[in-house]
Amino acid sequence: MNIIFENAKLINPAQNLDMQGSIKVSETGMIDAVTFGEETIPSGTNDRVIDMKGKVIASGLFDMHCHFREPGQEYKETLETGSRAAVAGGFTGVAVMPNTKPVIDSPLGAAFIKHNAADLPVDIEIVAAMTEGSMGETLSPYGKLCSYGIRAISDDGTAVQTSRMMRLVFEYSASFDLLVIQHCEDTSLSSGGVMNEGSYSALLGLRGIPDAAEVITLARDINLMEYLQKHKLNPPVASPKYHVAHISTAGALDLVREAKAKGMQVTCEVTPHHFTLTEQDLYEADDKGHYIMKPPLCSRENREALLEALSDGTIDAIACDHAPHARHEKECPADQAAFGIIGLETSVGLTFSELVHTGKITLYRAIEMLSSNPRKIMGLSPVLFEPGSPANFTFIDPEETWTYTEDLVRSKSRNTPFLNRTMKGRAVGIYHKGVLHGLE
Ligand code: DOR
């Protein structure tokens, strides 16, 4: 059946589009017509008409940082259950990180994900490991991995620790124009730590992670990139494309600002939990395991810096670092809890509640950071609201107040500090791959 989505607010930053309009989608999943303002689209007998008054049709949201745990840890999440969580959260595409068991560092691993993801309702892009087994010792075979369609490399969960190996990563990845996604953590500083180092970690008697662990790794990487550029040690290849995962400190944000000002291809993302919570929330919580993640929830000052960087454009993307873990891995003493929380289903709600409705960013910028920017960073084609283009939409009700209760969780895991939290702003459906989800 054809569907006419009538009288919506159309937001697609890839086209600088922010205006009222209507879109008709044919049963093949392609856009048939787009009209703006008051102009309506005539409907036929085979057309379903949906009144979108008060709702947004955004270019499909894309989360560039997810852990779907397949292969190897299917008790936490699978590609299928992770996709269900993505749909529930309003995402039409995600990128999955390679820290599965085994780590995705070979063409076989990439082919496995591609094959298992082909029929899922959302697009799954692959981030392969920077080094074999993410052990930081031997480069993964980037050339072969590229021919299996990977979009980026990362040793997420940890970082390459030696400068020499990182130099090799930059030189080799640049010859394939591959995006390098760095989880910035100097493990010689962070090892054994479970939360941000400061007065709260001291009060709780938990080992801390100094925020310098993030800053030092990023500073090293930027220095290496500059060195390689300056001395033209890797001609004729392009300068590396470098993306900071889950940035959480003022010091790292300053480094990103400086790198951008120098024209380097450096981008960064923030998670909703880092712009919403601080170490104080962990201190006060009974279920401390649900507040343990990497990087750790930061200080109030660092959270302020994140909010400023979201407003001033330093931060390019919002990515939730969806990190499912089983109950026994999180509902335990804080210093034994696995790092990470699920996030796909609360990302839009938190972005709207904490950033849009508080006036820190506009709705348009929220969509930019949740949709067009992550696609651009990952080298994906932009979503277009044009006749002849595939329909790839996220429907958002910016005013809906809702509570994230356990029965709404579609992920296989429940590890989130946001259960029973009330938020304003909700993804109410997607249209992708010719299928409408939601908007009943
Ligand atoms: O909290 C985290 N969990 N941070 C990471 O970088 C990895 C992730 C995971 O895989 O569980």
Side-chain angles (χ1 to χ4, degrees), residues 12-47:
N12 187 352
Q15 292 172 282
N16 294 320
L17 176 67
D18 181 359
M19 68 189 296
Q20 285 299 119
S22 303
I23 306 187
K24 179 175 178 180
V25 173
S26 76
E27 49 203 359
T28 58
M30 306 302 276
I31 297 179
D32 230 25
V34 184
T35 58
F36 299 108
E38 302 292 299
E39 194 189 339
T40 53
I41 299 174
S43 60
T45 45
N46 194 29
D47 297 342

Side-chain angles (χ1 to χ4, degrees), residues 67 69 99 156-157 183 246 293-294 321 323 325 339-340:
H67 300 269
R69 309 298 190 205
N99 61 338
D156 184 54
H183 164 123
H246 40 51
M293 61 266 305
K294 273 195 175 172
D321 194 3
H325 293 291
F339 292 100

